[in-house]
Amino acid sequence: MLDVNDIHVTYGRLRALKGVSLSVKEGEIVCLIGPNGAGKSTTLASIAGGVTPHRGTISLEGKPLAGVGPEGIARLGVSLVPEGRHVFGALTVAENLRVATYMRKDRSAIAADYDRVLALFPRLQERIGSPGGRLSGGEQQMLVIARALLTKPRLLLVDEPSLGLAPKIVDQVYDILLAARKMEGLTLLINEQSSHRILKHADRIYVIRGGHIQLHDTAANLQDGEAIKRAYFGFGEEAAIDEEDAA
Ligand SMILES: Nc1ncnc2c1ncn2[C@@H]1O[C@H](COP(=O)(O)OP(=O)(O)OP(=O)(O)O)[C@@H](O)[C@H]1O
Ligand SMILES: [Mg+2]
């Protein structure tokens, strides 16, 4: 479904991505894991069209996304849930959700989608009239995911949904993502800083560090966490990478 091939991204003189390649097949949950500053958000932003790689290609179902732009990419069925849980604090949960559907042209289908998506989020239903700013971190995370689902994506990109949430809440968020995959036929690419709770949910894992993919394999092959740890911290590889950076 998604093919990212050797993309390079710079911010001014900083090389954030130095040749990132990854692929996501229809129906998969793929997780991109890496430490602070590894290039996770830049990778998702590149796919969603918010950042333009100066080298490499990204294609969706074989169709190159270069020049399509963020709105066009969204129309092709790609939705990004950015890091930071940006909800409209003064708007109610219901109003926050309604904002997501303004772009849609199929007005008649919206009511049914609204009911179906909300059914995945009993906690949001309970808080439907509360201002977004009053929600807990976990509820806000659910709200931004619900909002993204209302745009009817086929590929959902989720940037660090676990950040700062208690383990129990993280599991709830993942349960919802898994249920959404099943119900909506979603494909998921998820960024996380830690593989801790992700290994049991993902089909495949990529580890990124320093703008490079260090490792990728099925979650089943990585269950013991040792290979991930080595790739994440780069034991024994620092010298080689520093040399390449200097070149
Ligand atoms: N808008 C920007 N302008 C300049 N540098 C940026 C910008 N966004 C990211 N960077 C830099 O690019 C590199 C990759 O950042 P990115 O946000 O993609 O990493 P990340 O893996 O998402 O990190 P985190 O876990 O902290 O969210 C970092 O060195 C970061 O400081
Ligand atoms: Mg990030």
Side-chain angles (χ1 to χ4, degrees), residues 47-164:
I47 297 165
V51 166
T52 308
H54 65 86
R55 220 174 103 189
T57 56
I58 302 173
S59 46
L60 190 69
E61 258 125 29
K63 192 176 170 268
L65 296 182
V68 175
E71 286 88 16
I73 291 171
R75 268 195 299 276
L76 290 172
V78 178
S79 183
L80 169 65
V81 180
E83 61 186 323
R85 304 179 191 133
H86 299 288
V87 305
F88 300 103
L91 301 187
T92 65
V93 168
E95 288 162 345
N96 267 278
L97 292 173
R98 224 169 290 138
V99 170
T101 59
Y102 284 156
M103 228 178 87
R104 283 177 54 176
K105 300 216 167 63
D106 53 340
R107 310 301 311 174
S108 57
I110 290 175
D113 286 341
Y114 191 85
D115 290 345
R116 204 182 61 247
V117 167
L118 258 189
L120 288 167
F121 300 89
R123 189 69 196 137
L124 290 184
Q125 275 177 322
E126 286 168 25
R127 309 222 52 187
I128 199 78
S130 307
R134 292 277 180 81
L135 302 182
S136 69
E139 289 165 348
Q140 290 187 346
Q141 187 62 54
M142 288 174 196
L143 178 54
V144 291
I145 291 170
R147 209 161 61 186
L149 290 178
L150 282 172
T151 67
K152 297 201 92 170
R154 290 184 302 137
L155 174 63
L156 188 64
L157 311 170
V158 194
D159 203 347
E160 296 203 43
S162 302
L163 195 69

Side-chain angles (χ1 to χ4, degrees), residues 36-37 39-42 83 159-160 191 193:
N36 270 142
K40 302 182 297 294
S41 297
T42 303
E83 61 186 323
D159 203 347
E160 296 203 43
N191 281 353
Q193 264 190 47

